[in-house]
Amino acid sequence: MQQAGVPARIEVVEVGPSDGLRHERTAIAAPDRVELVERALAAGLRRIEVAAFDADSREPERVLAALPRRGGVRYLALVLDGTGLDRAAAAGVDEVNVVVAATDGFADRERGSSTGQDLARWADLAARAHRGGPRPVATIAVAFGCPVEGEVSAEHVAEVARRIADAGPAEIVLADTAGAGVPTQVVRLLERVREEAPGVPVRCHFHNTRNTGYANAATAFLEGVAALDASIGGIGGSATRPGFGGTIATEDLAYLLTGMGVHTGLDADELAATGTWLGERLHREVPAMLGRAR
């Protein structure tokens, strides 16, 4: 829990340029992806997921080559295998994110693997990263509920976190991929994961499928998480599953946290303007609400 007298701060990690856009039906070109990152930087974001090295396309390299390099800014990327890790390192990525599914059903549907295989892949990639590559971060997907298997117990997720911690992650991300979680679940899951992976910073990633994402984010902050993911415009979700909500919107989260007295270093108005700009390029109204209220 946040302690009295301690300055209220939290880091917001922007995932729209990668995780958000890769789940949109409308593709946008590399120059617009670069502009999105530049706009995010102008709004105060300093840790941004910019690419996914999960295919043969060289667009991630083109985007990273065009991005501004500044002190205090870290660029993140999703990787699936050793080839992706090598490409990310060569492109100058600061951190790599490896996804471990909490359930066999979701792992099989997404990658034809299992939780055990995901954990083995994570351990291999983390070991390689520790030998001089980008910082390795592990995300536990469907940690709050699985669209394939249903409920996922906190005890099971904590055990997955324990096995992830054995490989020395810089951070563990608890992802509500299906947007199924509620605040009481956030409290319990954070408690159990911290017991099994003591000393490892925890970040949370909430989707707003059932309109609980912001309540979950506020709860996670009050429980002292190190960082929260968000996506400008609230984009993302699933290109093939229209009912899946995107990651909580960066501009809406910034407004919420600022109203709670939390320092984020973010300009909510600038973020809202960027959300509107992004919607124009995606040819749809983005889910974020702050831009509509102005």
Side-chain angles (χ1 to χ4, degrees):
M1 294 288 290
Q2 290 288 327
Q3 298 179 4
V6 176
R9 294 175 177 269
I10 196 165
E11 181 179 40
V12 176
V13 180
E14 175 59 40
V15 301
S18 176
D19 184 60
L21 289 178
R22 71 196 295 264
H23 290 109
E24 287 288 329
R25 288 187 177 87
T26 301
I28 69 169
D32 282 333
R33 290 175 180 264
V34 172
E35 183 172 349
L36 176 58
V37 175
E38 291 173 337
R39 284 172 172 266
L41 291 171
L45 289 151
R46 291 295 178 265
R47 196 171 171 209
I48 306 173
E49 186 181 276
V50 297
F53 289 87
D54 58 353
D56 292 333
S57 168
R58 290 290 150 176
E59 184 169 270
E61 282 88 348
R62 288 193 291 271
V63 169
L64 277 152
L67 293 179
R69 300 287 174 164
R70 305 176 186 174
V73 172
R74 286 180 285 170
Y75 293 132
L76 291 62
L78 173 72
V79 300
L80 296 183
D81 52 28
T83 299
L85 175 60
D86 291 343
R87 287 175 59 196
V93 166
D94 301 294
E95 301 177 27
V96 289
N97 182 14
V98 180
V99 176
V100 175
T103 68
D104 290 336
F106 192 78
D108 181 60
R109 193 187 77 179
E110 295 297 303
R111 291 179 293 279
S113 64
S114 66
T115 299
Q117 289 172 318
D118 281 2
L119 283 164
R121 179 171 55 90
W122 150 253
D124 175 65
L125 292 174
R128 293 178 59 164
H130 283 308
R131 291 195 291 269
R135 287 180 5 132
V137 171
T139 290
I140 305 179
V142 296
F144 294 81
C146 176
V148 180
E149 297 190 14
E151 292 185 10
V152 181
S153 73
E155 287 67 29
H156 173 70
V157 175
E159 173 60 19
V160 172
R162 183 192 66 76
R163 295 178 64 183
I164 286 172
D166 289 342
E171 188 177 48
I172 292 175
V173 184
L174 300 178
D176 189 7
T177 313
V182 296
T184 50
Q185 192 178 4
V186 173
V187 174
R188 175 61 177 162
L189 189 53
L190 286 170
E191 177 185 40
R192 290 293 293 115
V193 166
R194 285 164 171 159
E195 289 173 355
E196 296 298 329
V200 179
V202 177
R203 183 168 115 219
C204 286
H205 178 108
F206 296 112
H207 284 243
N208 202 39
T209 304
R210 294 166 177 83
N211 212 30
T212 59
Y214 299 97
N216 291 338
T219 301
F221 163 72
L222 293 172
E223 292 296 314
V225 298
L228 290 167
D229 284 356
S231 174
I232 292 173
I235 63 169
S238 172
T240 58
R241 294 170 179 265
F244 272 40
T247 308
I248 56 175
T250 314
E251 54 265 53
D252 294 353
L253 178 64
Y255 177 86
L256 170 65
L257 292 172
T258 300
M260 293 172 63
V262 183
H263 176 75
T264 63
L266 303 181
D267 185 328
D269 290 334
E270 185 73 22
L271 290 166
T274 299
T276 300
W277 169 88
L278 182 57
E280 292 169 354
R281 275 137 191 85
L282 293 172
H283 307 295
R284 75 179 185 97
E285 187 173 53
V286 295
M289 299 300 293
L290 188 62
R292 307 182 201 184
R294 300 304 168 109

